[in-house]
Amino acid sequence: MTRSAGIDIGGTKTHIVVTDDASAARTELVVPSADWRTGLGDPEADARGLSRLLGERFGPQIRTAAVAIGAHGCENTEQCRDLERALRPYHDGPVLVVNDSELIAPAMGAAHAIGVVVGTGSIATARDAAGELATAGGWGWMLGDEGSAAGLVREATRAVLDSRDRGEPLDALGTRLLAAFAAGDADELALAVTEAGSAEALGGRAPEVFSAADDGSALASAVIHDAGVHLARLVDRLIRRGIRAESVVAGGSVIERQPRLQEAFASALASVRPGLPLSILDRPPVDGAIALARGLAAAAH
């Protein structure tokens, strides 16, 4: 029996799928990442914890499976290889580790694609001709991550404050943000956003930006438009650095749920890279890990 294991290690949860490649059997497991992972930056601890989890849940035979892992925290090629090396004493089958954002394109069956994640944060990733991980964006919510949940709320707040400074009346975006942050006026809104303290705290209010656009807010519509332009710029930067791209695949909690952002991204991408197809992820990223694992298994045989 040939087995393949695909693993999506996110900051919050770990999604594992094990398949029997000779049948339709598919076993899935979702656990909090904190159940087995003590923190980022320690590949030896990750290897021990993940191997223990796999053995406990899938039995010793999992050691011979082809395993592909998309790991949050493996931010460059060397960090991915470090985890691969750390896993070798625990695993007999072939192992591949990539950044978790790299699962999006293979999940959709796309080759030579740039993956764009737009969720709590935002980043574009691809592999260059030498197999090295190339990224654009992903600077974190304080410095960038435009288009992400946190980035949208940050830029929406800036738009409301800028509008106030111009002496304009509060529109639907301002009204919604004041209510979302329990602020009495623009000054209290600025303070509340400044003290939010995390991407998650800001990003939880992102639906208000899209609701405000639905309500007719020109400010909200402009924020969403600009987010789409920024995401297209990330793709363009990777291509200018020599990345071969036959398509773009976007995934993540924000882009998958918000048609307005999808449209803004598609329009901006068509402007800077005419003819480059864009698709939106419509399945779990772990499916990309399974596709990569099956490729490993085929190569091994």
Side-chain angles (χ1 to χ4, degrees), residues 11-184:
T12 302
K13 66 181 180 180
T14 296
H15 189 176
I16 302 171
V17 172
V18 176
T19 64
D20 171 5
D21 296 340
S23 71
R26 175 181 172 116
T27 305
E28 296 199 36
L29 173 69
V30 179
V31 299
S33 295
D35 280 5
W36 64 271
R37 199 178 204 189
T38 56
L40 300 181
D42 189 341
E44 299 294 337
D46 281 352
R48 289 193 300 271
L50 184 58
S51 298
R52 186 182 305 114
L53 174 66
L54 291 173
E56 290 173 353
R57 298 301 184 97
F58 298 99
Q61 63 270 27
I62 197 67
R63 288 180 61 104
T64 61
V67 175
I69 301 168
H72 172 67
C74 288
E75 304 301 332
N76 55 52
T77 309
E78 191 56 34
Q79 289 176 351
C80 293
R81 291 173 180 162
D82 285 344
L83 183 52
E84 288 176 0
R85 285 190 288 265
L87 283 163
R88 284 175 189 152
Y90 303 95
H91 199 77
D92 301 321
V95 176
L96 173 68
V97 177
V98 299
N99 181 268
D100 57 338
S101 66
E102 296 183 83
L103 301 181
I104 291 175
M108 296 292 284
H112 303 297
I114 291 175
V116 181
V117 176
V118 193
T120 303
S122 63
I123 191 172
T125 61
R127 292 277 167 164
D128 65 16
E132 297 291 314
L133 176 60
T135 67
W139 301 345
W141 67 278
M142 292 185 69
L143 298 176
D145 282 2
E146 286 84 354
S148 70
L152 283 162
V153 175
R154 184 191 63 234
E155 296 307 311
T157 303
R158 288 171 57 89
V160 170
L161 297 175
D162 189 56
S163 175
R164 189 278 306 267
D165 286 354
R166 294 195 302 268
E168 298 170 356
L170 205 64
D171 82 341
L173 180 61
T175 300
R176 283 185 170 274
L177 288 182
L178 289 178
F181 285 94

Side-chain angles (χ1 to χ4, degrees), residues 209-220:
V209 180
F210 296 99
S211 294
D214 292 341
D215 292 342
S217 168
L219 291 180

